[in-house]
């Protein structure tokens, strides 16, 4: 069973990973969406005893794919942190260690709805903040799904945390995260370990690729 699937959209070859990210070979860029780092710190600060470790798990997943692809660029398609309270001392140390390991990379963050609540990031972090709709050639990068902006043939984004629900007879077999392409918009699943999913209902001409464990499949 494949851990990756290569697809072609709007003349661009993209490699979809079962680890819920996309490698764009032409730009040597790894694309991830909705990391929601530090979400566990926010919950625990408000007295909700959730397990620790989801932020480190998310960073480890991204680090593993960066090593596998040798990408030189990383772009987060919005919602890097969950809230301002997510930037605890421990979470900052984990992010510092990540940036130290990949100091040679070019980091970009497309602003998402949670990023607006977080505010300014630590000045020492080597990350360039970009507005949604940032275009690289004819590919636009954003956070909220929508149509490709003028001059773009493909729009890549996140926000929805898309998933497909499977049924066996009358019983639900549960939801599985997926990549969803509809009308020129490719929506990535959330890579954050501590995130939920949103069931989508693809239309006839849409394409979806769902993730089951360590494998990715075309629907």
């Amino acid at each position: 069973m494949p851990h990756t699937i290569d697809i072609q959209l709007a003349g661009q070859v993209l490699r979809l990973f079962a680890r819920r990210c996309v490698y764009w070979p032409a730009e040597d860029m790894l694309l991830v969406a909705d990391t929601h780092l530090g979400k566990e710190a926010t919950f625990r600060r408000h007295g909700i005893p959730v397990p620790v470790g989801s932020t480190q798990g998310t960073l480890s997943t991204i680090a593993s794919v960066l090593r596998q692809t040798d990408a030189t660029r990383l772009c987060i398609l919005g919602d890097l942190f969950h809230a301002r309270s997510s930037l605890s001392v421990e979470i900052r140390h984990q992010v510092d260690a990540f940036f130290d390991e990949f100091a040679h990379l070019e980091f970009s963050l497309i602003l998402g709805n949670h990023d607006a609540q977080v505010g300014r990031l630590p000045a020492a972090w080597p990350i360039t903040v970009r507005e949604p709709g940032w275009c690289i050639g004819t590919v636009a990068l954003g956070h909220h799904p929508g149509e490709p902006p003028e001059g773009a043939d493909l729009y890549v984004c996140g926000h929805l945390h898309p998933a497909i629900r499977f049924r066996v007879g009358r019983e639900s077999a549960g939801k599985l995260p997926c990549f969803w392409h509809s009308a020129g918009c490719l929506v990535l699943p959330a890579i954050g370990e501590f995130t939920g999913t949103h069931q989508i209902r693809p239309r006839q001409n849409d394409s979806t690729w769902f993730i089951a464990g360590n494998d990715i499949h075309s629907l």
Side-chain angles (χ1 to χ4, degrees), residues 12 14 22 24 27 29-33 73-78 106-112 128 130-149 152-158 184-186 188:
Q12 298 291 330
L14 300 172
V22 174
W24 185 6
E27 294 296 327
M29 177 182 285
L30 187 68
L31 300 165
V32 303
R73 307 167 78 186
L74 172 66
C75 183
I76 299 117
L77 302 174
E106 173 191 310
F107 296 97
S108 297
L109 167 66
I110 306 293
L111 288 174
T128 300
R130 302 184 184 275
E131 293 293 328
W134 177 39
C135 284
I136 302 176
T138 58
V139 177
L141 305 177
H143 180 63
H144 291 86
E147 296 180 357
D153 298 323
L154 178 65
Y155 181 58
V156 185
C157 60
C185 178
L186 176 65
L188 274 59

Side-chain angles (χ1 to χ4, degrees), residues 159-199:
H159 182 62
L160 281 185
H161 306 195
I164 291 286
R165 183 176 295 279
F166 287 87
R167 293 187 178 275
V168 179
R170 295 185 177 182
E171 293 187 348
S172 171
K175 293 187 294 183
L176 294 174
C178 69
F179 298 86
W180 176 33
H181 179 254
S182 178
C185 178
L186 176 65
V187 186
L188 274 59
I191 196 170
E193 287 195 358
F194 191 13
T195 56
T197 58
H198 172 73
Q199 181 182 347

Side-chain angles (χ1 to χ4, degrees), residues 4-204:
T4 65
I5 288 180
D6 286 353
I7 64 171
Q8 187 165 336
L9 297 175
Q12 298 291 330
V13 174
L14 300 172
R15 179 163 297 163
L16 312 184
F17 280 78
R19 292 185 170 182
R20 305 180 305 284
C21 53
V22 174
Y23 177 57
W24 185 6
E27 294 296 327
D28 202 17
M29 177 182 285
L30 187 68
L31 300 165
V32 303
D34 301 287
T35 50
H36 287 271
L37 302 179
K39 186 175 180 179
E40 73 271 36
T42 294
F43 273 54
R44 294 177 74 85
R45 179 174 180 177
H46 292 284
I48 303 173
V50 299
V52 298
S54 62
T55 290
Q56 189 57 60
T58 299
L59 291 173
S60 295
T61 295
I62 297 171
S64 176
V65 182
L66 284 171
R67 297 187 200 104
Q68 182 178 345
T69 60
D70 284 327
T72 58
R73 307 167 78 186
L74 172 66
C75 183
I76 299 117
L77 302 174
D79 291 356
L80 174 60
F81 286 93
H82 187 69
R84 187 68 192 175
S85 58
S86 299
L87 279 76
S88 67
V89 172
E90 180 182 2
I91 298 300
R92 286 173 184 248
H93 287 165
Q94 292 174 10
V95 176
D96 285 341
F98 179 84
F99 281 135
D100 287 345
E101 179 179 355
F102 296 100
H104 61 287
L105 262 64
E106 173 191 310
F107 296 97
S108 297
L109 167 66
I110 306 293
L111 288 174
N113 50 298
H114 281 264
D115 301 305
Q117 302 169 17
V118 171
R120 188 180 299 275
L121 298 174
W125 288 353
I127 190 163
T128 300
V129 176
R130 302 184 184 275
E131 293 293 328
W134 177 39
C135 284
I136 302 176
T138 58
V139 177
L141 305 177
H143 180 63
H144 291 86
E147 296 180 357
E150 184 177 356
D153 298 323
L154 178 65
Y155 181 58
V156 185
C157 60
H159 182 62
L160 281 185
H161 306 195
I164 291 286
R165 183 176 295 279
F166 287 87
R167 293 187 178 275
V168 179
R170 295 185 177 182
E171 293 187 348
S172 171
K175 293 187 294 183
L176 294 174
C178 69
F179 298 86
W180 176 33
H181 179 254
S182 178
C185 178
L186 176 65
V187 186
L188 274 59
I191 196 170
E193 287 195 358
F194 191 13
T195 56
T197 58
H198 172 73
Q199 181 182 347
I200 62 167
R201 292 175 172 82
R203 294 174 292 187
Q204 184 176 1

